Amino acid sequence: MAEDAILGFLQNNDEIQNSETFAQDFGVGHDEIVNVIRSLHGFRLVDAQDIRRERWVLTEEGKTYAAVGSPEFQLFSAVPPEGIAREELQKKLDPAVYKIGCQQAIKNKWVEMAKTNVSRKVQHADDKVKDLLLRIQNGETVNQEDIDDLKRRKLIIQQVWKGFSVKKGPNYAPKRKRAATDLTRENLQRGDWKELEFKEYNFSAKGQPVEGGHLHPLLKVRRQIQMIFLYMGFEEMPTNNFVESSFWNFDALFQPQQHPARDSHDTFFLKVPSTTKMLPEDYVERVKEIHESGGYQSRGYGYDWKREEANKNLLRTHTTAVSSRMLYALAQKPFAPKKYYSIDRVFRNEAVDRTHLAEFHQIEGLICDRGLTLGDLIGVLQDFFSRLGMSKLRFKPAYNPYTEPSMEIFSYHEGFKKWVEIGNSGMFRPEMLLPMGLPEDVRVIAWGLSLERPTMILNGIDNIRDLFGPKVDLGLIKRNPICRLGL
């Protein structure tokens, strides 16, 4: 109906000057007329020019004040010539009207607010705000200064009206002829294909872009780190068991059973199966002895070590549990130097924030050889992190139950513009290594870090929840470079 009205009107007239007036004259909704004009313009049956009108209209608050008066005038009117107590005035007015009215009436110098009383400073006041609102409501012109003041008080908002003026286009016809998109069997049988007007094909048009797969930044950095370890001659450790016993996760690492990290609020313990049944008994006895009484020039911890604590199953809190297994297996054979690494998931019962998750990836590297020193560890760390593009490193003494000496590793974060901790390192204690059966002159240097922290540094991300999770911007994954050169 709207299309026929537009094309029919243009057959006898040169122009539709205003689409809104046209819609009113023909009893059609303006939105419907606008949609039809856009369609006809797209097929060049008509040429449409935009019409834009801006006007100020009253908000709901503005409409209220136009009806009953502004808050400042209501407050002024509620103050008798002899004055009134503040409490009495508050009772006479709505709380919102009283609050706004006080501010504006004092600003206008209409009233004086004493500690307990309110009195008039003028005997008569004009409600300019109400007058301005009524003028705007009636479509009258108001100067810009008053407009700015009403807009600042959120009593008016700008309303934009959009319409069209319409003329005949190059393809104008009194009635639109629908172009056929296909030549059908029925067209051929009837012979009406001769009269059909077919839609033109744009052979230069590009199709929809094909979405290929995109690697997550974490996977790319994981692969980079894996290649760095392989270039440095490391061998990957098997990390396919997320469930570990407390013995390998804590006790074998010379971590006491009363250590805070072993509490349920820091560790996820399993209900089924709750305990393990497979531990090397001779090694368990040596670990028990070193915890209770010491040995190898160590005093131990001097407490009653409990086998039931060591048997508890948990989701591993670090991949060092795998390292303890690998070192124990290495000690059962004639000694040979080894370089091991692992990259896999670990679990901590932590509150989630911008730098912590309850489930994350840990990277671990260790070197086992005779006569290693702390200088060897620092040199290996400088080499390792420089290959990741993090050459600004600092080291700080720290404490770990299973390493002595220990160092925290810091790198300068260009996003944070400060030094951030990226890992921990140290030399495994004799109390951990010697009960395994390793020779006394063998030393193990090791370090660990999360996969997420270096990924955030390399990508300039300062919130770990922007890296993965429900709030991740998928554009980050698509924009991420396929590789990093020079590492």
Side-chain angles (χ1 to χ4, degrees), residues 13 98 103 133 146 191 209 242 248 284 296 340 351 368 434 462 464:
N13 299 273
Y98 177 80
Q103 295 172 352
L133 292 172
D146 292 329
F242 290 170
W248 291 110
V284 170
Y296 314 107
Y340 289 128
C368 181
L434 296 179
D462 61 3
I464 196 169

Side-chain angles (χ1 to χ4, degrees), residues 26 146 211 244 309 413 433:
F26 282 84
D146 292 329
E211 285 286 347
E244 191 55 270
E309 286 294 324
H413 192 302
L433 299 177

Side-chain angles (χ1 to χ4, degrees), residues 25-42:
D25 292 343
F26 282 84
V28 183
H30 186 241
D31 289 341
E32 184 181 353
I33 287 290
V34 166
N35 290 334
V36 171
I37 290 173
R38 287 175 177 157
S39 175
L40 294 172
H41 179 74

Side-chain angles (χ1 to χ4, degrees), residues 404-473:
E404 180 62 37
S406 307
M407 300 185 304
E408 292 175 346
I409 311 164
F410 290 81
S411 175
Y412 189 74
H413 192 302
E414 295 294 343
F416 287 156
K417 299 298 181 186
K418 66 178 182 178
W419 293 88
V420 297
E421 184 184 350
I422 58 171
N424 217 323
S425 65
M427 301 182 68
F428 283 149
R429 298 176 67 104
E431 295 96 325
M432 172 186 165
L433 299 177
L434 296 179
M436 294 177 174
L438 289 168
E440 290 189 8
D441 61 342
V442 168
R443 304 287 183 267
V444 179
I445 58 175
W447 69 97
L449 61 148
S450 75
L451 177 62
E452 289 75 10
R453 192 67 62 85
T455 303
M456 291 169 66
I457 293 175
L458 291 171
N459 289 275
I461 299 170
D462 61 3
N463 191 327
I464 196 169
R465 288 167 289 195
D466 292 335
L467 186 62
F468 60 86
K471 297 183 179 180
V472 169
D473 176 15

